């Protein structure tokens, strides 16, 4: 029983770290632009398929580096052409736009890469378990967690210690004052949106190596990311990180006793936290913490 619990907790932390990475990208966009990006899962899929396409030419490591940046560029263009036209309007408009965009991306993925799933191979040394006792801990899973830790740490450092990062944080508090100081808010929103999409693209590359690729994979991973934001608290990147880890571990532990409820427990946790603390665990409206 102890080994089974350790197995599930480990899996939960790995899955939770992945949820957190995707959710932080969602939170970045939501905090500054007020856009509920339902196409985030679609951008995750784009990142994974771009890595799949690039891998034969530049290898796994090259695809890991290049695919998220290409996904971010696509996100930047989408924001400039579509999303920015809806700023200042009812959030329902951006929600409907991104909801429709998610379907377009899904069908576009089927058109270009086919409807069948595609396996993505990782370097052999990463696919090897660490030991016979801990067969469920492979080098790739540890690599995923390491990438998440490094990426999230770099993001927090960027937001706290760079000029652009400070402007993004200030914009989440009072965008009108930031604009009055002469800062190009339109470009700030575009770059922030691209940063959030970069994290979605990176999540897609990592997920492809673990789960394989299929056009609908983003849909199944999107809702846990939204739940992570709500549990941790809208406006708090620290809370989003913790929320992702919590729902990952909660789902994994629930699968030991009641496997059928491993997904439902996320919604139960969200409901309980909202009843006790409506803003989430660390939520402070309009703040990045």
């Amino acid at each position: 029983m102890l080994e089974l619990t350790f197995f599930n907790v480990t899996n939960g932390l790995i899955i939770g770290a992945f949820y957190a990475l995707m959710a932080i990208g969602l939170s970045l966009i939501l905090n500054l632009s007020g856009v509920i990006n339902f196409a985030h899962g679609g951008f995750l899929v784009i990142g994974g398929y771009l890595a799949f396409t690039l891998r034969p030419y530049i290898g796994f490591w090259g695809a890991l580096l290049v695919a998220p940046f290409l996904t971010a560029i696509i996100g930047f263009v989408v924001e400039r052409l579509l999303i920015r036209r809806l700023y200042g309007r009812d959030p329902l408009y951006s929600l409907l736009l991104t909801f429709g965009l998610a379907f377009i991306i899904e069908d576009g993925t089927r058109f270009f890469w086919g409807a069948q799933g595609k396996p993505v191979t990782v370097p052999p040394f990463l696919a090897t378990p660490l030991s016979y006792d801990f067969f469920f801990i492979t080098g790739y899973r540890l690599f995923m967690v390491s990438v998440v830790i490094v990426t999230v740490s770099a993001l927090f450092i960027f937001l706290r210690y760079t000029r652009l990062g400070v402007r993004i944080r200030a914009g989440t508090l009072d965008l009108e004052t930031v604009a009055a100081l002469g800062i190009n808010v339109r470009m700030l929103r575009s770059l922030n949106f691209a940063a959030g999409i970069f994290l979605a693209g990176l999540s897609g590359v990592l997920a492809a190596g673990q789960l394989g690729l299929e056009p609908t994979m983003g849909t199944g991973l999107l809702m846990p990311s939204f739940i992570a934001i709500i549990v941790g608290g809208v406006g708090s990147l620290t809370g989003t990180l913790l929320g992702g880890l919590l729902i990952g571990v909660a789902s994994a532990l629930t699968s030991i006793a009641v496997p059928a409820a491993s997904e439902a427990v996320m919604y139960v946790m969200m409901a309980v936290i909202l009843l006790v603390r409506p803003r989430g665990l660390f939520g402070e409206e309009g703040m990045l913490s």
Side-chain angles (χ1 to χ4, degrees):
M1 185 64 182
L2 182 62
E3 184 176 346
L4 179 62
T5 302
F6 180 67
F7 169 78
N8 280 276
V9 169
T10 303
N11 274 344
L13 286 172
I14 293 170
I15 295 171
F18 174 77
Y19 287 159
L21 181 63
M22 189 174 174
I24 287 175
L26 268 171
S27 186
L28 270 178
I29 295 170
L30 177 62
N31 292 343
L32 181 63
S33 302
V35 173
I36 302 173
N37 184 21
F38 264 93
H40 207 71
F43 286 108
L44 176 146
V45 173
I46 290 175
Y49 274 99
L50 285 176
F52 172 79
T53 303
L54 293 171
R55 192 182 189 282
Y57 304 101
I58 59 177
F60 173 81
W61 302 108
L64 177 67
L65 293 173
V66 174
F69 281 103
L70 292 179
T71 309
I73 292 172
I74 294 172
F76 182 86
V77 173
V78 168
E79 193 276 342
R80 300 277 286 192
L81 295 179
L82 300 175
I83 304 293
R84 69 162 41 183
R85 300 174 184 273
L86 302 179
Y87 292 145
R89 299 188 181 184
D90 190 314
L92 180 62
Y93 288 103
S94 60
L95 188 151
L96 291 174
L97 172 64
T98 56
F99 190 72
L101 186 60
F103 284 106
I104 293 173
I105 292 174
E106 186 176 314
D107 285 343
T109 303
R110 288 194 184 96
F111 177 79
F112 286 107
W113 287 284
Q116 300 300 319
K118 298 185 182 299
V120 177
T121 57
V122 300
F125 74 93
L126 288 179
T128 306
L130 295 186
S131 68
Y132 290 108
D133 293 328
F134 302 111
F135 63 91
F136 49 88
I137 304 179
T138 63
Y140 187 72
R141 291 190 165 198
L142 289 181
F143 171 72
M144 284 176 59
V145 174
S146 300
V147 170
V148 172
I149 291 173
V150 171
T151 303
V152 173
S153 300
L155 176 64
F156 276 56
I157 292 171
F158 166 77
L159 290 173
R160 289 192 177 275
Y161 299 108
T162 67
R163 179 175 296 181
L164 177 59
V166 170
R167 288 176 175 177
I168 290 174
R169 294 178 63 215
T172 63
L173 294 173
D174 192 339
L175 196 59
E176 292 183 1
T177 300
V178 170
L181 292 174
I183 296 172
N184 188 340
V185 171
R186 293 165 68 89
M187 180 57 69
L188 188 67
R189 278 172 158 167
S190 297
L191 293 175
N192 180 74
F193 191 90
I197 298 303
F198 172 87
L199 296 180
L202 179 60
S203 299
V205 179
L206 295 177
Q210 180 66 30
L211 305 173
L213 283 171
E214 58 179 356
T216 60
M217 65 184 292
T219 304
L221 297 171
L222 181 63
M223 192 53 66
S225 302
F226 276 119
I227 294 174
I229 294 174
I230 296 170
V231 168
V234 175
S236 172
L237 294 186
T238 303
T240 299
L241 175 62
L242 180 60
L245 295 175
L246 284 177
I247 64 173
V249 173
S251 298
L253 290 177
T254 303
S255 66
I256 298 176
V258 190
S262 60
E263 291 188 11
V265 69
M266 295 187 294
Y267 299 94
V268 174
M269 178 184 295
M270 178 180 68
V272 170
I273 289 177
L274 289 177
L275 286 172
V276 176
R277 184 175 170 82
R279 287 189 174 182
L281 296 177
F282 294 93
E284 291 293 341
E285 187 176 356
M287 290 187 67
L288 285 172
S289 57

